[in-house]
Amino acid sequence: MLTFCIVEVVVRVFPDDLLASFASDLFEILGCYFPIHFTHSMGEDFDVKRDDLSTALMRAFSSTPLFAPFAIPLLLEKLSSSLPSAKVDSLKYLSSCTLTYGADCIAKHAGAIWYSIKDVIYFSLEHTLSFGLESLDGPGFQENAILQEALTLLQIVIKQNTDLFLSQIIADEDINFILKSISNFNSYNKIPMQSKQKLHAVGCILSVSVKASLSSCIRVIESFFPTLVNALGLSVRNLPQDCFPSDNYVFAERLNHAALYLCIELIAACRDVVSGSEQFMTESGFAHEKWCCLIQSFSVSLTKAFTFTLAKSAKEDAYDADAYFGVKGLLILGTFPGGFFTISKSIFEDILLTLTSIITLDFEKTLLWKLALKALVYIGVSVDRCHESEKKLSYMGIVIDKIVSLASFHDFSMPLPLKLEAISEIGASGANYLLKIVQGLEEAIFDNLSEISIHGNSQSAEIVVQLLECYSDKVFPRIHETGSFEEVSLRFALNIWGLLENCVAFSVQAHENGLLDATMKAMKLAIASCSVETQTIIVQRAYNVLSSGTSFPLKEPMVAIPIQLKGLQLTQEIDIGSSRDEWIYSLFASVIIALRPQTHIPNVRLVLQLFMTTMLKGNVPAAQALGSMVNKFVLNTNVIDVSSTCTLEEAMDIIFNMSLCSFDDIASSRIYGRMNNGGEMCLNSICRGVVNGRSLQIHAVTGLAWIGKGLLMRGHEKVKDITMILLECLLSNDQKGPLPVEQDSSEDSSKQGVHPSVMKCAADAFQILMTDSENCLCRKFHATIRPLYKQRFYSTIMPILQSLIMKSESSFSRSMLCRACAYIISDTPVVVILNEAKKVIPILMEGLSVLCNDVLDKQILYSLLLVLSGILTEKNGQEAILECAHIIINHLIGLISYSHMMLVRETAIQCLIAMSSLPQARIYPMRVQVLKAISKALDDPKRAVRQEAVRCQHAWAPVVSRNLQF
């Protein structure tokens, strides 16, 4: 790099006459360094240094026009190199030198430069076009660095010497040969490969030539466009003075594909020039130029030609080409900018009608349908960006109205998933379009919901679930980008609550086809991004419906909550009430989950009481709402109106000390045994096994987990008490003994045994505590999240769990403790695990043994394997596993044949590969077992597993062949 800098300094300091005398010597020095390339990569830092060296050398090359006689021949020579990097560098250097050397200097080498560029374009192109969506409105060769640099250089030299280079292009024998022979290329599939390559090269060259400048656009269009439209059967011999020839053409059996392709490339380039030229848009005199007249006059004929091509796409052998050329041609014409040069309103509307009819009628033709949809999106974006009011009205009336009508539940002619894809994609084309689509989508949602509530139509339930999922996953994120989100969200939420208020008899079951879940998700997303003021309006409306439309006494003083326990069987759920009540309770919980911490909740104490009741009856959203409330409540308040304001401490007192009673104390005491306080109990009592009702206890444990999660995320100390209750459930089948941090357990001295299903629920509660949730207690729903809360919980609870596992005398209790550990370990950052790897690995291994037996545990098993993989890839982790390497290998060998999940088998083999790098003294005794197990994996039905098995075999083979070195 020092050499290059010295050359630059010399060029700046020495006068030109002196430089000329030893320019040859200077450039000989520079030429020795080109191209800068290396056979082997030496890492990222080395690549950066190479780029710096290459840039410095390029500056030196282009530092003075005196180097031109030496630099240009050298760079052109290097274009024939077999190294792609040398080609790219040569083209970059030529572009830089062209700008520095000037037009006169480059003109001396114009012929050589043109032929070199043409050859590079020809040999770097693919033989076939890409008919994918990504190339519909773009060049389709963005990843081809050589081609990109060649076209960039071509555009630079044309701008610099327009007449000179265009004359060479127009007179070029290869280009003219292609133009003369295009009459032989009616079907794209029948064009020979070599001819396709030349055809694509000509398309790229003509496109870049048009885009180079307005003057080059004029000359290229006037030179080549007449030939192409003639090849399409659109004669220009008798073009009238008004630029609008007769349009009564009868097309051939199939339009010439080669001419069609080149014509599309020309008008696409012309459109780009028109769109980017202020001179063109301001000087209306250009409208009478021949080139403008040519394109404008044939807009109707070209539209019909492209439409004719689409009509042939389902009947002929080149379906992909016909569909692509037809749609792309209509797209280009439909996105010409407005003003005097625009296509007529009738042509624009014909284009929209043609593409829209494909969406509604030709949905069985997958490629054609997707191309038409993408073209409509591009046209909508273009019209919206250019603020063309007349076109916008046409687009709104033809496309948007038709797309909105697709959401109607009365029309079953088109598959609903395709309808929703069209709705969501078209909605992305502009804010105004999106708002109208949202209104239509909402109408369809509420029409279907009304049909469900009145007639219990299950088909409508399936439809509205998909409508709501589209609304939540695709439409809502785009509404955020508009300024009308608050209005849309408020309208949606209030309409839902209005429907529930007016519908006394709700016929559909709450969880039928996931309808309630989909509605809750949409409700939460609608509310979450609203302001505090808007959220206050929604929550007040929801509370009014709740208080007037359910049997729960929200206006009475808080008393002991009665729970119907009589006759409850071990596997029977407690009835939550009517379907309508469950909808109201669950949707109200969704509203509470999505609120900002500052939003006022009416009558918050009775709301807490409501959620406690519905939670114990199995309503999970109520439990999640309780967790959200304790997560967002302020610690203390000075507000006088205590009836409507609640602190966190008061909320915790209500949740944990509220009395719960049965309707029939005698019957309940016969079923559950004697309870504290003459038949009354609290949440802690239920969780600790004062009652034997399995369902009630499971609901209580689940609710306690969500409440604990809310406290854990904000870093509240009360989560320790909740954790101890969960651990008591896990130890139910062990011998009685005090917990490590809780010596007094007088409250549960009469505790009965806990059912295994309740113990499993208590273990799964740790998954709720640790796993990130998308349904509640996350950032998008304004949860309070203290940094590093997972690390702190891990540091607190893992020593306790490790101690309990060691002391456990019940195999089932021990397995549940390991299960709880698995959830904690898998969701703790690996960097924390690494610090205590030696203590964690035995528990991790036992977790793998416990979890591999049940197919339902495959996901947590996979998560544990990922933790083990993370340990194995770190140096301090490898050191921690040396003593138990054989145990780990045995576990991994067992998981190679795990049939329930491919990722488990793949990750287990990857862990074995990592272990092959351990000291041979530790792993040599296991080599035969590993290779024997891996040989079976070579026949695994999944390719990814087979590939990893081959890698593992190669990694372990040297372990066998090498002698041990002690």
Side-chain angles (χ1 to χ4, degrees), residues 62 87 164 332 337 435 439 587 610 633 759 814 897 953:
S62 58
K87 289 180 181 289
L164 179 59
I332 300 305
L435 293 176
Q439 292 177 1
L587 287 174
L610 165 70
F633 275 144
M759 296 177 66
R814 183 184 180 93
S897 58
Q953 194 176 52

Side-chain angles (χ1 to χ4, degrees), residues 327 330-335 348 351-352 355 372-385 391 395 399 429 433:
V327 171
L330 293 178
L331 168 62
I332 300 305
L333 291 176
T335 50
F348 181 70
I351 292 171
L352 296 182
L355 294 173
L373 178 60
K374 187 62 68 175
L376 283 174
V377 173
Y378 284 145
I379 293 173
V381 171
S382 174
V383 171
D384 188 66
R385 184 176 60 243
K391 284 187 176 182
Y395 191 85
V399 179
S429 57
Y433 310 140

Side-chain angles (χ1 to χ4, degrees), residues 747-923:
E747 181 178 338
D748 59 321
S749 59
S750 61
K751 182 177 71 173
Q752 305 295 322
V754 179
H755 192 274
S757 63
V758 179
M759 296 177 66
K760 185 175 182 296
C761 180
D764 292 340
F766 287 90
Q767 181 184 26
I768 295 175
L769 287 170
M770 291 293 290
T771 304
D772 296 329
S773 172
E774 294 184 357
N775 297 321
C776 68
L777 290 169
C778 55
R779 294 194 184 279
K780 67 181 175 183
F781 297 137
H782 315 293
T784 303
I785 304 177
R786 187 179 178 186
L788 307 179
Y789 75 91
K790 290 184 179 181
Q791 290 89 320
R792 277 190 289 273
F793 185 70
Y794 170 87
S795 300
T796 302
I797 195 64
M798 279 303 294
I800 300 174
L801 283 170
Q802 289 170 342
S803 173
L804 293 176
I805 290 172
M806 293 177 61
K807 296 178 181 178
S808 178
E809 298 178 4
S810 164
S811 60
F812 185 77
S813 182
R814 183 184 180 93
S815 69
M816 290 299 102
L817 288 168
C818 289
R819 185 184 187 87
C821 284
Y823 288 125
I824 296 172
I825 291 171
S826 63
D827 276 293
T828 301
V830 176
V831 65
V832 179
I833 303 294
L834 286 171
N835 294 332
E836 298 182 351
K838 287 186 178 180
K839 297 179 181 178
V840 170
I841 287 172
I843 299 176
L844 196 152
M845 290 299 104
E846 189 164 358
L848 292 178
S849 299
V850 169
L851 297 168
C852 68
N853 299 319
D854 192 341
V855 62
L856 298 178
D857 295 330
K858 59 185 179 182
Q859 192 59 51
I860 183 60
L861 180 66
Y862 173 58
S863 299
L864 278 185
L865 276 176
L866 290 180
V867 175
L868 178 60
S869 177
I871 294 173
L872 289 171
T873 55
E874 296 292 336
K875 183 177 180 180
N876 54 340
Q878 291 179 351
E879 294 174 354
I881 67 173
L882 287 178
E883 295 180 3
C884 55
H886 62 291
I887 299 175
I888 297 174
I889 291 174
N890 281 328
H891 279 89
L892 293 174
I893 288 174
L895 292 173
I896 291 176
S897 58
Y898 186 79
S899 60
H900 305 305
M901 193 177 190
M902 181 272 289
L903 290 173
V904 169
R905 303 195 299 275
E906 182 184 15
T907 309
I909 297 174
Q910 289 170 346
C911 289
L912 283 172
I913 295 172
M915 295 201 71
S916 67
S917 63
L918 296 177
Q920 290 190 46
R922 292 292 182 184
I923 63 175

Side-chain angles (χ1 to χ4, degrees), residues 658-675:
M658 186 164 52
S659 296
L660 309 168
C661 66
S662 67
F663 287 147
D664 189 338
D665 290 343
I666 298 175
S668 60
S669 63
R670 185 169 59 248
I671 297 173
Y672 304 109
R674 183 171 60 84
M675 288 183 271

Side-chain angles (χ1 to χ4, degrees), residues 588-697:
F588 185 74
S590 300
V591 172
I592 299 299
I593 287 169
L595 294 181
R596 299 177 184 273
Q598 302 84 0
T599 303
H600 171 71
I601 301 175
N603 215 345
V604 65
R605 289 172 174 77
L606 289 178
V607 168
L608 287 169
Q609 184 179 349
L610 165 70
F611 287 148
M612 286 291 296
T613 304
T614 51
M615 175 194 76
L616 292 174
K617 293 181 179 181
N619 189 281
V620 175
Q624 294 172 339
L626 284 171
S628 296
M629 292 176 76
V630 300
N631 177 263
K632 299 173 188 176
F633 275 144
V634 295
L635 292 175
N636 53 64
T637 182
N638 296 321
V639 180
I640 299 176
D641 185 11
V642 294
S643 64
S644 60
T645 303
C646 184
T647 65
L648 176 60
E649 287 72 16
E650 292 169 331
M652 296 302 296
D653 184 63
I654 292 172
I655 291 172
F656 287 98
N657 297 321
M658 186 164 52
S659 296
L660 309 168
C661 66
S662 67
F663 287 147
D664 189 338
D665 290 343
I666 298 175
S668 60
S669 63
R670 185 169 59 248
I671 297 173
Y672 304 109
R674 183 171 60 84
M675 288 183 271
N676 293 337
N677 301 323
E680 291 189 359
M681 54 188 169
C682 62
L683 181 62
N684 294 0
S685 303
I686 297 174
C687 292
R688 284 175 163 140
V690 171
V691 298
N692 289 332
R694 188 197 310 175
S695 294
L696 182 64
Q697 201 169 352

